[in-house]
Amino acid sequence: MSGSHDVPKGKYGTLDAYTKYVVKRFDVQVLLLNTWATTQTNKTAAKPIGVCFKYHQR
């Protein structure tokens, strides 16, 4: 992945890259004595799906 941005003459700029994630929320359940029981709630899992760029000019 790459990125670019035109910078005016006499100026300086930086192009910062960061990972973009999709986040899923879920509850953890177990089967105890033929009954589902929730053991943990509001857990999250993040999957990287791309790269984003942010430009800063000085």
Side-chain angles (χ1 to χ4, degrees), residues 12-44:
Y12 295 94
T14 58
L15 193 60
D16 296 328
Y18 58 94
T19 308
K20 183 172 184 168
Y21 295 94
V22 62
V23 177
K24 299 284 185 174
R25 293 193 180 281
F26 60 93
D27 295 336
V28 177
Q29 297 179 331
V30 295
L31 185 58
L32 298 172
L33 303 172
N34 294 328
T35 304
W36 287 101
T38 301
T39 59
Q40 298 176 11
T41 59
N42 291 326
K43 295 297 177 180
T44 59

Side-chain angles (χ1 to χ4, degrees), residues 1-3 15-21 49-55:
M1 184 74 52
S2 65
L15 193 60
D16 296 328
Y18 58 94
T19 308
K20 183 172 184 168
Y21 295 94
I49 59 170
V51 178
C52 297
F53 296 96
K54 188 163 187 169
Y55 173 73

